[in-house]
Amino acid sequence: MSDCLFCKIVAKEIPADVVLETDRALAFRDINPQAPTHVLVVPKEHFQDAAALAAADDGWADAVLQAGQAVAEQEGVAEVGYRMVFNTGPAAGQTVFHVHLHLLGGRNLTWPPG
Ligand code: AMP
Ligand code: ZN
């Protein structure tokens, strides 16, 4: 999608602090981190939200989840624990409508989130 921020990051038209790239997913640091580790994992194809990703054929959801786990290991938070979040829709605070997995870790994470 030509006017999508994360499609532009995937296309390398907008810079990002990339921590992992696979054939199907790109992981980069959130510009406004909420934890010492706060990485966004996006599919390289445009899906607007988690519902669209879940409905996608061909393992796109697997690719995002697997990249998220790889980043957790790379960031050193896999053992102690981390959180993966998909904000989905306005009531959940989704602001960028290209699905992204938030990987949060590196501090004690409270539950429930706000
Ligand atoms: P959400 O509110 O779940 O849609 O999350 C969108 C996230 O994208 C927020 O945490 C923002 O800080 C983050 N964000 C917005 N623009 C950028 C950018 N250019 N590079 C990295 N992260 C961004
Ligand atoms: Zn997009």
Side-chain angles (χ1 to χ4, degrees):
M1 283 223 337
S2 57
D3 62 346
C4 170
L5 174 63
F6 289 173
C7 280
K8 287 179 179 165
I9 288 177
V10 167
K12 311 278 165 70
E13 293 169 16
I14 291 178
D17 187 357
V18 172
V19 298
L20 184 80
E21 181 164 11
T22 71
D23 57 338
R24 293 210 181 186
L26 188 73
F28 50 92
R29 295 196 190 282
D30 195 294
I31 206 166
N32 182 23
Q34 302 302 311
T37 291
H38 187 174
V39 172
L40 303 178
V41 183
V42 304
K44 288 184 170 177
E45 196 161 288
H46 183 91
F47 302 99
Q48 75 162 13
D49 59 16
L53 182 67
D57 295 332
D58 276 349
W60 282 100
D62 292 1
V64 171
L65 186 60
Q66 287 163 4
Q69 176 61 23
V71 172
E73 292 171 14
Q74 190 175 294
E75 292 283 308
V77 300
E79 294 284 321
V80 69
Y82 56 85
R83 187 169 292 160
M84 292 177 172
V85 175
F86 289 103
N87 292 326
T88 307
Q94 185 177 3
T95 58
V96 179
F97 288 85
H98 178 134
V99 66
H100 46 283
L101 181 156
H102 291 261
L103 175 74
L104 296 148
R107 65 170 170 82
N108 288 326
L109 299 163
T110 56
W111 189 262

PDB file of all heavy atoms in Angstrom, residues 1 4-8 45-47 97-98, ligand 2:
ATOM      1  N   MET A   1       0.859  -1.204   0.000  1.00  0.00           N
ATOM      2  CA  MET A   1       0.000   0.000   0.000  1.00  0.00           C
ATOM      3  C   MET A   1       0.883   1.237   0.000  1.00  0.00           C
ATOM      4  O   MET A   1       1.748   1.382   0.846  1.00  0.00           O
ATOM      5  CB  MET A   1      -0.880  -0.008   1.251  1.00  0.00           C
ATOM      6  CG  MET A   1      -2.006  -0.966   1.111  1.00  0.00           C
ATOM      7  SD  MET A   1      -3.619  -0.419   1.671  1.00  0.00           S
ATOM      8  CE  MET A   1      -3.363   0.854   2.844  1.00  0.00           C
ATOM      9  N   CYS A   4       1.103   3.546   3.261  1.00  0.00           N
ATOM     10  CA  CYS A   4       1.233   2.849   4.547  1.00  0.00           C
ATOM     11  C   CYS A   4       2.647   3.008   5.099  1.00  0.00           C
ATOM     12  O   CYS A   4       3.626   2.664   4.435  1.00  0.00           O
ATOM     13  CB  CYS A   4       0.884   1.372   4.378  1.00  0.00           C
ATOM     14  SG  CYS A   4       1.285   0.382   5.828  1.00  0.00           S
ATOM     15  N   LEU A   5       2.729   3.536   6.327  1.00  0.00           N
ATOM     16  CA  LEU A   5       4.028   3.770   6.965  1.00  0.00           C
ATOM     17  C   LEU A   5       4.879   2.500   7.026  1.00  0.00           C
ATOM     18  O   LEU A   5       6.077   2.520   6.690  1.00  0.00           O
ATOM     19  CB  LEU A   5       3.788   4.311   8.382  1.00  0.00           C
ATOM     20  CG  LEU A   5       5.005   4.491   9.266  1.00  0.00           C
ATOM     21  CD1 LEU A   5       5.955   5.521   8.678  1.00  0.00           C
ATOM     22  CD2 LEU A   5       4.582   4.886  10.682  1.00  0.00           C
ATOM     23  N   PHE A   6       4.280   1.397   7.460  1.00  0.00           N
ATOM     24  CA  PHE A   6       5.102   0.196   7.632  1.00  0.00           C
ATOM     25  C   PHE A   6       5.430  -0.463   6.292  1.00  0.00           C
ATOM     26  O   PHE A   6       6.488  -1.099   6.170  1.00  0.00           O
ATOM     27  CB  PHE A   6       4.434  -0.783   8.611  1.00  0.00           C
ATOM     28  CG  PHE A   6       4.464  -0.291  10.052  1.00  0.00           C
ATOM     29  CD1 PHE A   6       3.783  -0.979  11.044  1.00  0.00           C
ATOM     30  CD2 PHE A   6       5.178   0.846  10.419  1.00  0.00           C
ATOM     31  CE1 PHE A   6       3.810  -0.537  12.369  1.00  0.00           C
ATOM     32  CE2 PHE A   6       5.210   1.302  11.733  1.00  0.00           C
ATOM     33  CZ  PHE A   6       4.521   0.603  12.714  1.00  0.00           C
ATOM     34  N   CYS A   7       4.581  -0.311   5.280  1.00  0.00           N
ATOM     35  CA  CYS A   7       4.978  -0.760   3.934  1.00  0.00           C
ATOM     36  C   CYS A   7       6.197   0.027   3.466  1.00  0.00           C
ATOM     37  O   CYS A   7       7.105  -0.527   2.825  1.00  0.00           O
ATOM     38  CB  CYS A   7       3.830  -0.595   2.938  1.00  0.00           C
ATOM     39  SG  CYS A   7       2.584  -1.901   2.998  1.00  0.00           S
ATOM     40  N   LYS A   8       6.240   1.312   3.801  1.00  0.00           N
ATOM     41  CA  LYS A   8       7.398   2.134   3.405  1.00  0.00           C
ATOM     42  C   LYS A   8       8.645   1.717   4.167  1.00  0.00           C
ATOM     43  O   LYS A   8       9.753   1.740   3.600  1.00  0.00           O
ATOM     44  CB  LYS A   8       7.093   3.615   3.647  1.00  0.00           C
ATOM     45  CG  LYS A   8       6.107   4.171   2.638  1.00  0.00           C
ATOM     46  CD  LYS A   8       5.793   5.632   2.895  1.00  0.00           C
ATOM     47  CE  LYS A   8       4.816   6.147   1.840  1.00  0.00           C
ATOM     48  NZ  LYS A   8       4.214   7.422   2.220  1.00  0.00           N
ATOM     49  N   GLU A  45       4.132  -8.320   3.603  1.00  0.00           N
ATOM     50  CA  GLU A  45       2.926  -8.031   2.816  1.00  0.00           C
ATOM     51  C   GLU A  45       1.954  -7.253   3.712  1.00  0.00           C
ATOM     52  O   GLU A  45       1.962  -7.416   4.935  1.00  0.00           O
ATOM     53  CB  GLU A  45       2.296  -9.350   2.357  1.00  0.00           C
ATOM     54  CG  GLU A  45       1.295  -9.198   1.242  1.00  0.00           C
ATOM     55  CD  GLU A  45       1.044 -10.516   0.527  1.00  0.00           C
ATOM     56  OE1 GLU A  45       1.947 -10.962  -0.212  1.00  0.00           O
ATOM     57  OE2 GLU A  45      -0.034 -11.087   0.724  1.00  0.00           O
ATOM     58  N   HIS A  46       1.135  -6.414   3.092  1.00  0.00           N
ATOM     59  CA  HIS A  46       0.220  -5.570   3.866  1.00  0.00           C
ATOM     60  C   HIS A  46      -1.041  -6.330   4.281  1.00  0.00           C
ATOM     61  O   HIS A  46      -1.793  -6.794   3.433  1.00  0.00           O
ATOM     62  CB  HIS A  46      -0.187  -4.329   3.050  1.00  0.00           C
ATOM     63  CG  HIS A  46      -1.067  -3.397   3.831  1.00  0.00           C
ATOM     64  ND1 HIS A  46      -0.572  -2.357   4.581  1.00  0.00           N
ATOM     65  CD2 HIS A  46      -2.412  -3.376   3.994  1.00  0.00           C
ATOM     66  CE1 HIS A  46      -1.570  -1.726   5.169  1.00  0.00           C
ATOM     67  NE2 HIS A  46      -2.700  -2.318   4.824  1.00  0.00           N
ATOM     68  N   PHE A  47      -1.242  -6.439   5.599  1.00  0.00           N
ATOM     69  CA  PHE A  47      -2.512  -6.883   6.188  1.00  0.00           C
ATOM     70  C   PHE A  47      -2.876  -5.832   7.215  1.00  0.00           C
ATOM     71  O   PHE A  47      -2.012  -5.401   7.985  1.00  0.00           O
ATOM     72  CB  PHE A  47      -2.367  -8.247   6.864  1.00  0.00           C
ATOM     73  CG  PHE A  47      -1.894  -9.344   5.943  1.00  0.00           C
ATOM     74  CD1 PHE A  47      -0.560  -9.717   5.930  1.00  0.00           C
ATOM     75  CD2 PHE A  47      -2.770  -9.971   5.070  1.00  0.00           C
ATOM     76  CE1 PHE A  47      -0.110 -10.717   5.073  1.00  0.00           C
ATOM     77  CE2 PHE A  47      -2.331 -10.974   4.209  1.00  0.00           C
ATOM     78  CZ  PHE A  47      -0.995 -11.351   4.214  1.00  0.00           C
ATOM     79  N   PHE A  97      -2.262   0.898  10.697  1.00  0.00           N
ATOM     80  CA  PHE A  97      -3.107  -0.175  10.185  1.00  0.00           C
ATOM     81  C   PHE A  97      -2.374  -1.032   9.158  1.00  0.00           C
ATOM     82  O   PHE A  97      -2.867  -1.301   8.071  1.00  0.00           O
ATOM     83  CB  PHE A  97      -4.445   0.403   9.707  1.00  0.00           C
ATOM     84  CG  PHE A  97      -5.277   0.814  10.900  1.00  0.00           C
ATOM     85  CD1 PHE A  97      -5.110   2.066  11.480  1.00  0.00           C
ATOM     86  CD2 PHE A  97      -6.154  -0.082  11.493  1.00  0.00           C
ATOM     87  CE1 PHE A  97      -5.834   2.432  12.615  1.00  0.00           C
ATOM     88  CE2 PHE A  97      -6.880   0.269  12.631  1.00  0.00           C
ATOM     89  CZ  PHE A  97      -6.716   1.519  13.194  1.00  0.00           C
ATOM     90  N   HIS A  98      -1.186  -1.448   9.565  1.00  0.00           N
ATOM     91  CA  HIS A  98      -0.419  -2.544   8.961  1.00  0.00           C
ATOM     92  C   HIS A  98      -0.062  -3.404  10.164  1.00  0.00           C
ATOM     93  O   HIS A  98       0.660  -2.934  11.059  1.00  0.00           O
ATOM     94  CB  HIS A  98       0.823  -2.005   8.247  1.00  0.00           C
ATOM     95  CG  HIS A  98       1.707  -3.050   7.621  1.00  0.00           C
ATOM     96  ND1 HIS A  98       2.209  -2.930   6.334  1.00  0.00           N
ATOM     97  CD2 HIS A  98       2.206  -4.215   8.095  1.00  0.00           C
ATOM     98  CE1 HIS A  98       2.965  -3.975   6.048  1.00  0.00           C
ATOM     99  NE2 HIS A  98       2.992  -4.776   7.113  1.00  0.00           N
TER     100      HIS A  98
HETATM  101 ZN    ZN B   2       1.355  -1.689   4.922  1.00  0.00          ZN
END
